[in-house]
């Protein structure tokens, strides 16, 4: 996927804690596989990451995959996750 960063900055949480964030859009090719066939398509999405500290982050990701398997199918995926660095 190709990612383009829309915004990168910081905000103040609870009047004391400085938190960093990154917002980005992504696009790229996709491969859809079913029991009967496989086909190619496209993938677009939006990602928001919030960094709690140097080791921990929250991530929200919204992806839309469009592929044609006889008719156009549209699959929307929403994921929320965490990241930990060590």
């Amino acid at each position: 996927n190709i990612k383009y960063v829309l915004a990168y900055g910081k905000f103040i949480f609870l009047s004391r804690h400085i938190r960093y964030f990154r917002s980005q859009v992504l696009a790229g090719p996709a491969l859809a596989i079913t029991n009967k066939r496989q086909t190619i398509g496209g993938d677009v999405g939006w990602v928001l990451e919030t960094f709690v500290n140097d080791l921990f982050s929250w991530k929200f990701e919204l992806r839309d995959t469009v592929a044609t398997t006889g008719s156009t199918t549209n699959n929307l995926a929403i994921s929320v996750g965490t990241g930990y660095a060590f």
Side-chain angles (χ1 to χ4, degrees):
N1 286 333
I2 295 173
K3 292 184 178 182
Y4 178 75
V5 176
L6 296 172
Y8 183 80
K10 54 187 166 183
F11 62 94
I12 297 176
F13 182 69
L14 295 177
S15 301
R16 299 186 324 182
H17 307 285
I18 296 175
R19 301 292 181 241
Y20 295 91
F21 72 93
R22 179 171 49 216
S23 175
Q24 53 199 359
V25 292
L26 55 93
L31 178 64
I33 300 173
T34 65
N35 292 337
K36 297 182 180 182
R37 66 166 60 158
Q38 65 184 19
T39 185
I40 59 172
D43 179 47
V44 294
W46 177 67
V47 178
L48 176 65
E49 287 181 284
T50 303
F51 302 95
V52 177
N53 56 32
D54 290 341
L55 302 175
F56 188 75
S57 69
W58 289 97
K59 185 175 187 179
F60 173 81
E61 190 169 309
L62 178 69
R63 286 183 181 235
D64 189 16
T65 304
V66 178
T68 56
T69 56
S71 64
T72 303
T73 58
N74 188 14
N75 300 309
L76 185 65
I78 299 173
S79 62
V80 177
T82 60
Y84 185 75
F86 52 89

